[in-house]
Amino acid sequence: MGMKRYIHVTGEQRQFLMKAFKTNEMTVWRALNYINDSDTSRRIRKLAIERGGIAMVMAEEAETLYDADGYMRQYFPNGVLIEGNKTTGYVAILKEGTEVAGFNNPSLTELENIQAQAMRL
């Protein structure tokens, strides 16, 4: 799953950063959106965080819930569900309620491939 990082700031914070670094709006925007990784961009990001900016990550929508019934479930926007039994270690990919793939005790390093397979369905 691809993730895009950025630092959320208010308009007033953006204005402050432009003045503090004697630069323009585009330079601050490129720094806050990790498009430029120059020394100045790194300093802009550091000051933005110090002044209340919030480091954010935009990711493909997927929600993970740890249920009280002993299962881990991850719901995907395409209607696919990954369901893992925390007692047995069995993980299933379900589409429209039907199991389309199953894995016995997959390692955490295999989880990304299982998620990618679920997203492709």
Side-chain angles (χ1 to χ4, degrees):
M1 289 183 230
M3 292 188 275
K4 178 189 177 308
R5 296 172 27 178
Y6 69 98
I7 299 174
H8 173 77
V9 296
T10 65
E12 293 82 15
Q13 290 167 325
R14 246 186 329 277
Q15 293 297 320
F16 175 85
L17 292 168
M18 286 188 297
K19 287 178 186 170
F21 289 94
K22 297 179 175 61
T23 191
N24 60 35
E25 188 172 359
M26 182 57 72
T27 300
V28 170
W29 182 85
R30 291 175 61 82
L32 296 177
N33 284 278
Y34 291 85
I35 293 169
N36 190 337
D37 197 36
S38 67
D39 182 57
T40 300
S41 290
R42 287 189 294 272
R43 289 185 2 241
I44 289 170
R45 288 191 290 269
K46 182 179 184 298
L47 185 57
I49 294 293
E50 289 172 358
R51 293 187 52 86
I54 303 168
M56 305 287 287
V57 174
M58 289 187 343
E60 294 178 34
E61 182 179 346
E63 184 176 358
T64 302
L65 301 174
Y66 293 92
D67 292 349
D69 64 358
Y71 285 86
M72 183 279 305
R73 293 182 177 94
Q74 185 171 20
Y75 297 88
F76 291 85
N78 61 359
V80 174
L81 164 67
I82 294 176
E83 183 175 71
N85 184 314
K86 294 189 288 186
T87 302
T88 66
Y90 186 75
V91 174
I93 298 177
L94 303 160
K95 182 169 177 96
E96 297 173 358
T98 302
E99 184 174 326
V100 296
F103 309 88
N104 285 308
N105 293 306
S107 67
L108 284 176
T109 57
E110 295 173 276
L111 185 57
E112 188 172 357
N113 290 330
I114 293 170
Q115 292 169 319
Q117 184 177 342
M119 288 297 291
R120 287 191 301 270
L121 294 175

